[in-house]
Amino acid sequence: MSCPSAIAAGPATLPVSPAEVEVAARRIAGRVVRTPLVASAALSRASGHPVFLKLETRQPIGAFKLRGAMNAVLALDEAARRRGLVTASTGNHGRALAHAAREAGVPAVVCMSALVPANKVEAVHALGAEVRIVGRSQDDAQAEVERLVSARGLTAIPPFDHPDVIAGQGTIGLEIVEDLPEVSAVLVPLSGGGLAGGVALAVKALRPSARVIGISMARGAAMAASLRAGHPVEVVEEDTLADSLGGGIGLSNRYSFALCRALLDEVVLLTEDEIAAGIRHAAEAEGEVVEGAGAVGIAALIGGKVSLDGPAALILSGRNIDETLHRRIVKETAV
């Protein structure tokens, strides 16, 4: 699926600016890990071009989400923080917000659907947040967030459609271009678009010629469906190995859809078997434990869904996969 690559539309038309990403980088410095960009010998051989892995798996919560959540929490005024924080999450953003809230010494409530894996629910509990399991979709969880904002006056920190969250995730793009100035392609997991939009914003500002390719699963990819339609649409949320990429983007999406529509050069969708192959390759060839969402860049490359014409960076967005599931995938040749 090709998308218009429109930094041509001009930064002034975008709902978040590259300058906001630079502010976020200064704000979160020392509070999140500046993750390594490491060469992959196996993927470089297979693609015929240098391939590097951006290891967001090294964040304290095991996922990139800490960047956006930390930036958003630090950007709040003290009164908003003290009212307590609330979010909807497919797992990793909830964990990130719980971590940031604990650092700030304020309470947090994380609303999740019954589709969120148990290991991710337990991890949020362990960080001291209140957890609410509501319905079977991200939309159901978001409805509970809105109720709690109204009933208890909590401050909502959305998982992706928020300028401070997007700017925080965009710091990954800054780091990639700093470490690999000649980068020609960045493969980024695509869900609600906070990560993809933020990374594309930073990369295109610094390296306009670089392609930014969003990678998602074929089962219930809401942003991909919305980009095809030309506006945010609802999709049926389904079980998938890339569970962190599930959920809708919100029909009233204000930020991430516009960024993805303007800045992504292409969107690639993967089968469950392809995602499993990416998880397996990460373990066997790279020595990295990654969840399904974190493996999609690898999966797209080894599955022949993306071709390269120069150095590429793949964002390994998270490692928070159930251990039993991971062992099964690594041992099997298909899901």
Side-chain angles (χ1 to χ4, degrees):
M1 170 184 174
S2 294
C3 301
S5 106
I7 202 133
T13 67
L14 299 175
V16 184
S17 72
E20 290 173 84
V21 180
E22 294 173 353
V23 170
R26 294 192 292 271
R27 184 182 284 135
I28 67 177
R31 296 177 181 268
V32 304
V33 174
R34 192 191 191 288
T35 55
L37 186 70
V38 301
S40 166
L43 293 173
S44 298
R45 284 194 303 270
S47 67
H49 295 278
V51 175
F52 297 83
L53 307 176
K54 181 62 169 169
L55 300 181
E56 286 300 296
T57 51
R58 299 291 192 267
Q59 294 294 348
I61 64 157
F64 78 95
K65 286 282 192 177
L66 187 58
R67 293 173 183 263
M70 186 67 73
N71 188 50
V73 171
L74 293 175
L76 291 172
D77 62 44
E78 188 64 18
R81 276 198 295 268
R82 290 295 163 190
R83 287 199 299 269
L85 310 175
V86 63
T87 195
S89 175
T90 54
N92 285 332
H93 176 68
R95 195 168 182 171
L97 187 67
H99 178 101
R102 188 173 68 174
E103 291 281 304
V106 298
V109 181
V110 178
C111 303
M112 296 183 279
S113 83
L115 293 180
V116 176
N119 67 301
K120 293 187 175 181
V121 175
E122 291 160 7
V124 175
H125 269 302
L127 286 167
E130 177 187 342
V131 175
R132 296 191 172 214
I133 305 299
V134 184
R136 289 187 58 80
S137 74
Q138 181 85 333
D139 290 339
D140 293 337
Q142 182 59 37
E144 179 66 3
V145 168
E146 291 164 9
R147 190 189 71 78
L148 290 170
V149 168
S150 176
R152 290 168 49 178
L154 302 180
T155 299
I157 304 290
F160 52 86
D161 194 37
H162 187 285
D164 293 325
V165 171
I166 291 167
Q169 320 305 24
T171 61
I172 298 171
L174 291 183
E175 293 174 13
I176 287 173
V177 179
E178 286 173 2
D179 292 347
L180 188 64
E182 68 277 22
V183 64
S184 69
V186 179
L187 277 61
V188 55
L190 177 62
S191 179
L195 174 61
V199 167
L201 181 67
V203 170
K204 295 286 188 179
L206 296 171
R207 177 78 168 164
S209 63
R211 290 185 298 150
V212 181
I213 302 169
I215 318 290
S216 199
M217 67 289 178
R219 290 182 178 176
M223 182 60 79
S226 297
L227 292 171
R228 281 196 301 269
H231 57 85
V233 298
E234 293 181 340
V235 299
V236 176
E237 194 168 340
E238 301 182 56
D239 284 319
T240 172
L241 287 175
D243 55 88
S244 291
L245 303 184
I249 71 165
L251 294 181
S252 59
N253 188 292
R254 296 176 60 195
Y255 304 99
S256 63
F257 173 76
L259 287 168
C260 288
R261 179 173 59 180
L263 300 176
L264 291 184
D265 295 283
E266 187 179 352
V267 171
V268 171
L269 301 182
L270 302 173
T271 68
E272 296 300 294
D273 282 352
E274 288 170 332
I275 296 168
I279 295 170
R280 195 175 304 113
H281 173 96
E284 295 176 345
E286 313 295 345
E288 296 291 336
V289 174
V290 294
E291 59 191 91
V296 294
I298 292 175
L301 202 56
I302 65 175
K305 295 289 186 74
V306 172
S307 59
L308 303 179
D309 56 9
L314 280 55
I315 299 173
L316 273 57
S317 56
R319 68 168 186 258
N320 300 318
I321 187 171
D322 177 79
E323 292 180 5
T324 301
L325 175 61
H326 187 262
R327 285 194 298 269
R328 178 170 68 82
I329 291 170
V330 171
K331 288 179 180 178
E332 294 180 359
T333 57
V335 177

